[in-house]
Amino acid sequence: MAAKSEQTRQLVADVALKMFREIGFEKTTMRAIAQEAGVSVGNAYYYFASKDELVQELYIQVQDEHAVVAAQALESVQDLAGRLKAVLHTGVDVMAPYHQFGSDFIATAIRPSSPVNPFGEASTAAREASLAIFRSAVDGSSPAVAKKLRGDLPELLWLAYMGVALFWVYDKSEGQRRTRKLIDGAAPLVARGLSLAKIPGVGKVFDDVLGLVRTVKEDS
Amino acid sequence: MAAKSEQTRQLVADVALKMFREIGFEKTTMRAIAQEAGVSVGNAYYYFASKDELVQELYIQVQDEHAVVAAQALESVQDLAGRLKAVLHTGVDVMAPYHQFGSDFIATAIRPSSPVNPFGEASTAAREASLAIFRSAVDGSSPAVAKKLRGDLPELLWLAYMGVALFWVYDKSEGQRRTRKLIDGAAPLVARGLSLAKIPGVGKVFDDVLGLVRTVKEDS
DNA sequence: TGAAACTTTTGAACGTGTTCAAGGACGAGT
DNA sequence: ACTCGTCCTTGAACACGTTCAAAAGTTTCA
């Protein structure tokens, strides 16, 4: 059985994620995880170099689930507003069990040195997967999105999604009702806003926004 | 001299801020601060309940300086784009000495429980001061901003400012050149974008955006 | 089988932020 | 001068994340 090692790793990860969900980030100490999993502290560190890496495990799992659920939800919707709603709502859905954990997660994720940093190298795969969801939401929509927007839009929407996630973390309303409202309100607005790109004066501004985005992105 | 106590407090704060600037957040341990200030660790805690509160001290100081510098810069500029630039550039100016400290600061600031959280209660004063800067930038601009926007715009701009600050933290270009470019590019775009509010079709979308903002804000 | 090499596991130890009981300093009232 | 009460200060102690030398277990190969 080559899986003995993998088994321990999974055990630690499972216990950690369960504890993150049930008692939060701070109360889930490495010692508690080890004890609950029946291993030594050092052994947990043999598989995960830091507590942050256990958070990364969670991040990846949540992203994977989002990809699956969102793809399914997208099957039955055509218009951009609806597709955007689908992606955002499913995103919130998969995060829901971890809401109380949210602020600690974001505090961890936001430091550039963290493996969970959504802009960082260590989560390139997760970010690409997430971006792919938005690309699919945009590309598959009908009526189609203006061609000049199609390239950059997914990335901008993903960025907006990060904003929604931030809002959700702070959202103390029951069941994060306000976040749902925000999504329901913002998605159609974004779609309508984009359709304004055809108006000459407005189109110019759009072009400049895209130009700025590209400039700032390139010049590293 | 009733100021003996205040003197110790200031000493600790000054030493801490200096160390934050010079060696960063993590290397500035409470023990190191205490030693450098010539007091005991416990004594530092008598004045500051946590390391976070020392960060708050920094936050307040930076905000205060921003208010002064921005007000001065606003005196000589009339148009909205210019005024926005002035406020944002001075904002980055005052933060500059703390750039390496930035990500730790934000990681601290972003948790709702932190005294430095910009949305939280403990920094109501600092937030109001910051908001006032943006209100002044909007209200004092000529040509005037559309009336229907004038009420909510400062808050939205402040929010955008938080975004700029986040961008700045991640900006590794020398002297944070990219952030400067972003400001120079975005400020005129915002001004031009707002002037589109007069166009009937666009105005509707603007109204809905404002409506959404209000809805989401009220429903707590 | 046996020994060498590699993988996995252990728990004590380190430095951190934070707490707290104990004591010192100092002024007010007698 | 004495004592009470308040403010200030101390440093040992705690739990935490993390490290690491050493031990235990497992595989490899002759």
Side-chain angles (χ1 to χ4, degrees):
Chain A
M1 173 179 325
K4 177 65 195 312
S5 171
E6 184 56 27
Q7 206 171 318
T8 309
R9 195 197 134 92
Q10 266 309 321
L11 175 63
V12 172
D14 288 349
V15 167
L17 264 60
K18 183 166 148 61
M19 291 183 84
F20 281 154
R21 247 176 326 214
E22 296 182 354
I23 63 174
F25 182 73
E26 301 201 341
K27 284 199 208 153
T28 304
T29 68
M30 292 302 287
R31 282 167 181 81
I33 294 170
Q35 181 168 5
E36 188 78 12
V39 302
S40 70
V41 187
N43 200 13
Y45 273 95
Y46 180 75
Y47 293 103
F48 301 94
S50 65
K51 200 178 173 185
D52 281 8
E53 282 200 4
L54 281 166
V55 176
Q56 189 186 16
E57 199 73 9
L58 184 163
Y59 180 58
I60 292 171
Q61 188 173 308
V62 167
Q63 287 295 358
D64 284 354
E65 199 183 337
H66 186 201
V68 173
V69 183
Q72 197 179 357
L74 282 176
E75 280 174 12
S76 55
V77 190
Q78 300 286 323
D79 65 299
L80 182 63
R83 292 173 76 81
L84 204 46
K85 268 195 212 175
V87 172
L88 295 176
H89 277 305
T90 52
V92 171
D93 288 344
V94 298
M95 294 191 295
Y98 298 97
H99 184 256
Q100 66 147 335
F101 177 77
S103 56
D104 295 291
F105 173 75
I106 291 205
T108 296
I110 212 153
R111 31 173 58 95
S113 62
S114 165
V116 216
N117 183 299
F119 307 100
E121 249 184 77
S123 48
T124 305
R127 180 178 56 252
E128 286 304 323
S130 193
L131 258 171
I133 302 176
F134 283 96
R135 211 180 325 273
S136 138
V138 170
D139 289 346
S141 95
S142 100
V145 173
K147 198 175 292 172
K148 68 178 176 187
L149 294 172
R150 227 174 291 162
D152 294 285
L153 192 55
E155 204 157 355
L156 292 175
L157 291 177
W158 177 79
L159 212 56
Y161 174 48
M162 296 293 105
V164 170
L166 198 56
F167 186 89
W168 173 81
V169 165
Y170 284 112
D171 185 355
K172 294 288 181 290
S173 63
E174 60 160 320
Q176 285 64 59
R177 186 170 25 86
R178 289 169 65 214
T179 304
R180 302 298 187 167
K181 269 194 192 170
L182 174 64
I183 294 173
D184 287 334
L189 269 174
V190 168
R192 267 174 60 205
L194 291 176
S195 71
L196 299 178
K198 292 184 210 99
I199 303 174
V202 184
K204 273 263 172 71
V205 174
F206 271 71
D207 291 343
D208 288 355
V209 169
L210 290 178
L212 177 62
V213 168
R214 286 184 195 124
T215 304
V216 171
K217 237 168 58 181
E218 279 161 19
D219 172 16
S220 65
Chain B
M1 177 182 316
K4 178 67 197 310
S5 170
E6 185 57 25
Q7 206 172 318
T8 309
R9 195 199 135 92
Q10 266 309 321
L11 176 63
V12 172
D14 288 349
V15 167
L17 263 60
K18 183 167 144 80
M19 293 183 84
F20 281 154
R21 246 175 326 210
E22 296 182 354
I23 62 175
F25 182 74
E26 301 202 341
K27 284 197 207 152
T28 303
T29 67
M30 292 302 287
R31 281 167 182 80
I33 294 171
Q35 181 167 6
E36 188 78 10
V39 301
S40 70
V41 186
N43 200 11
Y45 274 94
Y46 180 76
Y47 294 103
F48 301 94
S50 64
K51 199 178 175 184
D52 282 6
E53 282 200 4
L54 281 166
V55 175
Q56 189 186 15
E57 199 72 9
L58 184 161
Y59 180 57
I60 291 171
Q61 187 173 306
V62 167
Q63 287 295 355
D64 284 353
E65 200 183 337
H66 186 201
V68 173
V69 183
Q72 197 179 357
L74 281 176
E75 280 174 12
S76 55
V77 190
Q78 299 286 322
D79 65 299
L80 183 63
R83 292 174 75 81
L84 204 46
K85 267 194 211 176
V87 172
L88 295 176
H89 276 305
T90 51
V92 171
D93 289 343
V94 298
M95 293 191 296
Y98 298 97
H99 184 256
Q100 67 147 336
F101 176 77
S103 56
D104 295 292
F105 173 75
I106 291 207
T108 296
I110 210 153
R111 32 172 53 99
S113 62
S114 166
V116 217
N117 183 298
F119 307 100
E121 249 184 76
S123 48
T124 305
R127 179 177 59 253
E128 287 303 325
S130 193
L131 257 170
I133 302 175
F134 284 96
R135 211 180 323 274
S136 137
V138 170
D139 288 347
S141 95
S142 102
V145 174
K147 198 175 293 172
K148 69 179 177 189
L149 294 171
R150 227 174 289 161
D152 294 285
L153 192 56
E155 203 157 356
L156 292 176
L157 291 177
W158 177 80
L159 213 55
Y161 174 48
M162 295 293 105
V164 171
L166 198 55
F167 186 89
W168 173 81
V169 164
Y170 284 111
D171 185 355
K172 294 287 182 289
S173 64
E174 60 160 319
Q176 285 65 60
R177 184 169 26 85
R178 289 169 66 213
T179 304
R180 303 296 187 167
K181 268 195 194 173
L182 175 64
I183 294 173
D184 286 334
L189 269 174
V190 168
R192 267 175 60 204
L194 290 176
S195 71
L196 298 178
K198 292 184 209 98
I199 303 174
V202 183
K204 272 265 171 70
V205 174
F206 271 69
D207 290 343
D208 288 355
V209 169
L210 290 178
L212 176 61
V213 168
R214 285 183 196 126
T215 304
V216 171
K217 237 168 58 182
E218 280 163 17
D219 173 14
S220 65

